[in-house]
Amino acid sequence: MKKRNITEFQILSEVVRKQPHIKQKEIADILGITVQGVSEHMRNLIKDEQIKNKGRGEYIITEKGMASLKTWISNFKNYLNDVNQNLYRYKDVWPAIATEEIVPGETVGVYMKKGIIYVSKNIESDATAKVFYGGLSGEDVAIHEIHGHIEVQNGKVIVLKIPSEVMGGSRNVDYDIVQKTLEEYPDAVIATAGTVGTVIANKLEIHPDIRFAVSEGIVSACNRGCDVIAMITGKMAEKIIKTVDKNKISYTLLNASKTTDSIE
């Protein structure tokens, strides 16, 4: 983001917080710039029809300005997430899970599975590390001096559209389709939403990884390299598909109902 854009983003934010009575000196003090600088930016924003001067120190944000502000917020969140990931990537010591007993000083291969970092002496990996604190198989260990790249490809989503209660609920589920999908993606994260999804999971004796804030959880899991199987009823399935599509995540939609007639 260019410096000018960031400053105008901050000014737009202050206009939203304090409209309609805006004191340019207050904004200048908050942003650490001169009043003249604030005035120049506000003239640019007025010229660009992002804020409107109603006279006597009254300014309001326009619909165009609100749209710009929302876009900047979204872009800035993505930017901060990217910075945060890079900070984590280059920190000195990382936690990981050992797949066999390892001891301090050993060199191990590093890989990611279901969004978790694992280390092993018995795999070939593009990334290697030295063991800082060792441990037994399944225990958390500490690694450092990481070399190479930990490959993390975005996961995909398999949406199993299950019937709502008015369509028969768990009684109308084609469990063969569900079981086949679970077997095809044995390492997938499982997401459910609502009563019907919970009953299906209980019948299959599986424990969902994501039950709340499902859309956000699915996106987060995919960004960490996990495939996700989402057992979701009709309308919720449509919402999730819109979310994963917006985040450019690949998905497959499967109908897991025995019957396809709809009364919704």
Side-chain angles (χ1 to χ4, degrees), residues 110-122:
V110 185
Y111 65 99
M112 184 170 281
K113 178 180 178 182
K114 292 192 75 171
I116 304 296
I117 296 175
Y118 286 81
V119 293
S120 173
K121 295 179 290 186
N122 302 315

PDB file of all heavy atoms in Angstrom, residues 110-122:
ATOM      1  N   VAL A 110      11.207 -32.145   7.817  1.00  0.00           N
ATOM      2  CA  VAL A 110      10.071 -31.369   8.332  1.00  0.00           C
ATOM      3  C   VAL A 110       8.972 -31.373   7.277  1.00  0.00           C
ATOM      4  O   VAL A 110       9.227 -31.108   6.101  1.00  0.00           O
ATOM      5  CB  VAL A 110      10.480 -29.910   8.642  1.00  0.00           C
ATOM      6  CG1 VAL A 110       9.320 -29.150   9.279  1.00  0.00           C
ATOM      7  CG2 VAL A 110      11.707 -29.872   9.550  1.00  0.00           C
ATOM      8  N   TYR A 111       7.750 -31.668   7.697  1.00  0.00           N
ATOM      9  CA  TYR A 111       6.615 -31.638   6.774  1.00  0.00           C
ATOM     10  C   TYR A 111       5.350 -31.244   7.536  1.00  0.00           C
ATOM     11  O   TYR A 111       5.326 -31.233   8.776  1.00  0.00           O
ATOM     12  CB  TYR A 111       6.433 -32.992   6.083  1.00  0.00           C
ATOM     13  CG  TYR A 111       6.059 -34.136   6.996  1.00  0.00           C
ATOM     14  CD1 TYR A 111       4.733 -34.560   7.107  1.00  0.00           C
ATOM     15  CD2 TYR A 111       7.032 -34.808   7.740  1.00  0.00           C
ATOM     16  CE1 TYR A 111       4.377 -35.613   7.939  1.00  0.00           C
ATOM     17  CE2 TYR A 111       6.685 -35.860   8.570  1.00  0.00           C
ATOM     18  CZ  TYR A 111       5.361 -36.262   8.672  1.00  0.00           C
ATOM     19  OH  TYR A 111       5.018 -37.301   9.497  1.00  0.00           O
ATOM     20  N   MET A 112       4.319 -30.909   6.790  1.00  0.00           N
ATOM     21  CA  MET A 112       3.073 -30.498   7.408  1.00  0.00           C
ATOM     22  C   MET A 112       1.971 -31.484   7.044  1.00  0.00           C
ATOM     23  O   MET A 112       1.842 -31.904   5.896  1.00  0.00           O
ATOM     24  CB  MET A 112       2.674 -29.078   6.971  1.00  0.00           C
ATOM     25  CG  MET A 112       1.427 -28.546   7.665  1.00  0.00           C
ATOM     26  SD  MET A 112       1.143 -26.775   7.369  1.00  0.00           S
ATOM     27  CE  MET A 112       2.311 -26.054   8.514  1.00  0.00           C
ATOM     28  N   LYS A 113       1.163 -31.847   8.044  1.00  0.00           N
ATOM     29  CA  LYS A 113       0.043 -32.762   7.853  1.00  0.00           C
ATOM     30  C   LYS A 113      -1.137 -32.261   8.680  1.00  0.00           C
ATOM     31  O   LYS A 113      -0.999 -32.000   9.877  1.00  0.00           O
ATOM     32  CB  LYS A 113       0.445 -34.177   8.286  1.00  0.00           C
ATOM     33  CG  LYS A 113      -0.658 -35.212   8.174  1.00  0.00           C
ATOM     34  CD  LYS A 113      -0.138 -36.573   8.638  1.00  0.00           C
ATOM     35  CE  LYS A 113      -1.218 -37.631   8.592  1.00  0.00           C
ATOM     36  NZ  LYS A 113      -0.721 -38.946   9.085  1.00  0.00           N
ATOM     37  N   LYS A 114      -2.286 -32.091   8.011  1.00  0.00           N
ATOM     38  CA  LYS A 114      -3.500 -31.587   8.676  1.00  0.00           C
ATOM     39  C   LYS A 114      -3.234 -30.279   9.418  1.00  0.00           C
ATOM     40  O   LYS A 114      -3.750 -30.034  10.500  1.00  0.00           O
ATOM     41  CB  LYS A 114      -4.071 -32.632   9.625  1.00  0.00           C
ATOM     42  CG  LYS A 114      -4.639 -33.861   8.926  1.00  0.00           C
ATOM     43  CD  LYS A 114      -5.439 -34.753   9.835  1.00  0.00           C
ATOM     44  CE  LYS A 114      -6.801 -34.163  10.131  1.00  0.00           C
ATOM     45  NZ  LYS A 114      -7.695 -35.112  10.836  1.00  0.00           N
ATOM     46  N   GLY A 115      -2.373 -29.435   8.826  1.00  0.00           N
ATOM     47  CA  GLY A 115      -2.121 -28.125   9.400  1.00  0.00           C
ATOM     48  C   GLY A 115      -1.134 -28.110  10.551  1.00  0.00           C
ATOM     49  O   GLY A 115      -0.916 -27.079  11.171  1.00  0.00           O
ATOM     50  N   ILE A 116      -0.525 -29.265  10.858  1.00  0.00           N
ATOM     51  CA  ILE A 116       0.416 -29.381  11.970  1.00  0.00           C
ATOM     52  C   ILE A 116       1.784 -29.762  11.429  1.00  0.00           C
ATOM     53  O   ILE A 116       1.907 -30.575  10.506  1.00  0.00           O
ATOM     54  CB  ILE A 116      -0.049 -30.444  12.985  1.00  0.00           C
ATOM     55  CG1 ILE A 116      -1.460 -30.118  13.495  1.00  0.00           C
ATOM     56  CG2 ILE A 116       0.918 -30.546  14.152  1.00  0.00           C
ATOM     57  CD1 ILE A 116      -1.564 -28.838  14.280  1.00  0.00           C
ATOM     58  N   ILE A 117       2.844 -29.193  12.016  1.00  0.00           N
ATOM     59  CA  ILE A 117       4.205 -29.511  11.600  1.00  0.00           C
ATOM     60  C   ILE A 117       4.676 -30.793  12.284  1.00  0.00           C
ATOM     61  O   ILE A 117       4.563 -30.930  13.510  1.00  0.00           O
ATOM     62  CB  ILE A 117       5.166 -28.354  11.928  1.00  0.00           C
ATOM     63  CG1 ILE A 117       4.785 -27.108  11.115  1.00  0.00           C
ATOM     64  CG2 ILE A 117       6.618 -28.751  11.637  1.00  0.00           C
ATOM     65  CD1 ILE A 117       5.595 -25.896  11.475  1.00  0.00           C
ATOM     66  N   TYR A 118       5.186 -31.731  11.479  1.00  0.00           N
ATOM     67  CA  TYR A 118       5.740 -32.988  11.977  1.00  0.00           C
ATOM     68  C   TYR A 118       7.210 -33.081  11.583  1.00  0.00           C
ATOM     69  O   TYR A 118       7.636 -32.465  10.591  1.00  0.00           O
ATOM     70  CB  TYR A 118       4.987 -34.189  11.384  1.00  0.00           C
ATOM     71  CG  TYR A 118       3.613 -34.409  11.960  1.00  0.00           C
ATOM     72  CD1 TYR A 118       2.525 -33.671  11.503  1.00  0.00           C
ATOM     73  CD2 TYR A 118       3.400 -35.363  12.953  1.00  0.00           C
ATOM     74  CE1 TYR A 118       1.250 -33.869  12.029  1.00  0.00           C
ATOM     75  CE2 TYR A 118       2.118 -35.575  13.484  1.00  0.00           C
ATOM     76  CZ  TYR A 118       1.057 -34.826  13.013  1.00  0.00           C
ATOM     77  OH  TYR A 118      -0.190 -35.030  13.533  1.00  0.00           O
ATOM     78  N   VAL A 119       7.962 -33.872  12.336  1.00  0.00           N
ATOM     79  CA  VAL A 119       9.375 -34.111  12.007  1.00  0.00           C
ATOM     80  C   VAL A 119       9.664 -35.599  12.094  1.00  0.00           C
ATOM     81  O   VAL A 119       9.071 -36.333  12.894  1.00  0.00           O
ATOM     82  CB  VAL A 119      10.323 -33.331  12.940  1.00  0.00           C
ATOM     83  CG1 VAL A 119      10.196 -31.840  12.707  1.00  0.00           C
ATOM     84  CG2 VAL A 119      10.055 -33.663  14.408  1.00  0.00           C
ATOM     85  N   SER A 120      10.581 -36.035  11.234  1.00  0.00           N
ATOM     86  CA  SER A 120      10.955 -37.445  11.210  1.00  0.00           C
ATOM     87  C   SER A 120      12.367 -37.590  10.672  1.00  0.00           C
ATOM     88  O   SER A 120      12.791 -36.830   9.802  1.00  0.00           O
ATOM     89  CB  SER A 120       9.974 -38.234  10.341  1.00  0.00           C
ATOM     90  OG  SER A 120      10.415 -39.568  10.181  1.00  0.00           O
ATOM     91  N   LYS A 121      13.071 -38.620  11.171  1.00  0.00           N
ATOM     92  CA  LYS A 121      14.407 -38.934  10.647  1.00  0.00           C
ATOM     93  C   LYS A 121      14.308 -39.818   9.410  1.00  0.00           C
ATOM     94  O   LYS A 121      15.293 -40.020   8.716  1.00  0.00           O
ATOM     95  CB  LYS A 121      15.227 -39.668  11.717  1.00  0.00           C
ATOM     96  CG  LYS A 121      15.538 -38.846  12.941  1.00  0.00           C
ATOM     97  CD  LYS A 121      16.335 -39.629  13.972  1.00  0.00           C
ATOM     98  CE  LYS A 121      15.457 -40.702  14.612  1.00  0.00           C
ATOM     99  NZ  LYS A 121      16.186 -41.387  15.726  1.00  0.00           N
ATOM    100  N   ASN A 122      13.104 -40.340   9.135  1.00  0.00           N
ATOM    101  CA  ASN A 122      12.957 -41.387   8.128  1.00  0.00           C
ATOM    102  C   ASN A 122      12.190 -40.953   6.880  1.00  0.00           C
ATOM    103  O   ASN A 122      11.634 -41.790   6.178  1.00  0.00           O
ATOM    104  CB  ASN A 122      12.254 -42.596   8.761  1.00  0.00           C
ATOM    105  CG  ASN A 122      13.016 -43.138   9.959  1.00  0.00           C
ATOM    106  OD1 ASN A 122      14.233 -43.291   9.905  1.00  0.00           O
ATOM    107  ND2 ASN A 122      12.305 -43.406  11.044  1.00  0.00           N
TER     108      ASN A 122
END
